[in-house]
Amino acid sequence: MNIKRLLIDFIGLFLLVLVVTSVVTYLWNLVFHEAGAVDWETSFRLAIILGIVLPVTKVLEHKKPGM
């Protein structure tokens, strides 16, 4: 397992998920609650979870025997 590649994948996914989730929560609050606010707690939580889970899943998927 290449730690450097795993870290780069984490940072890239973290930033992507953080930006997308921030935009989505902003638009959700703007449309349904008429308040343009970003839910930073949810954005960071989801970014950290997906930033860890997706690269690890990718590494484990490539390590399966017989594939």
Side-chain angles (χ1 to χ4, degrees):
M1 180 166 71
N2 190 355
I3 298 297
K4 184 178 179 181
R5 186 70 208 161
L6 192 63
L7 186 61
I8 291 171
D9 286 346
F10 168 76
I11 292 171
L13 279 169
F14 176 83
L15 292 175
L16 178 68
V17 172
L18 183 65
V19 169
V20 170
T21 309
S22 299
V23 170
V24 169
T25 58
Y26 174 77
L27 291 175
W28 178 271
N29 286 328
L30 189 62
V31 170
F32 292 106
H33 301 290
E34 297 177 359
V38 175
D39 187 0
W40 289 109
E41 183 179 338
T42 301
S43 298
F44 277 111
R45 186 181 310 135
L46 191 60
I48 290 170
I49 290 169
L50 290 180
I52 292 170
V53 170
L54 292 177
V56 169
T57 304
K58 182 180 172 183
V59 167
L60 292 176
E61 189 175 276
H62 289 313
K63 284 191 169 189
K64 283 186 180 178
M67 294 201 129

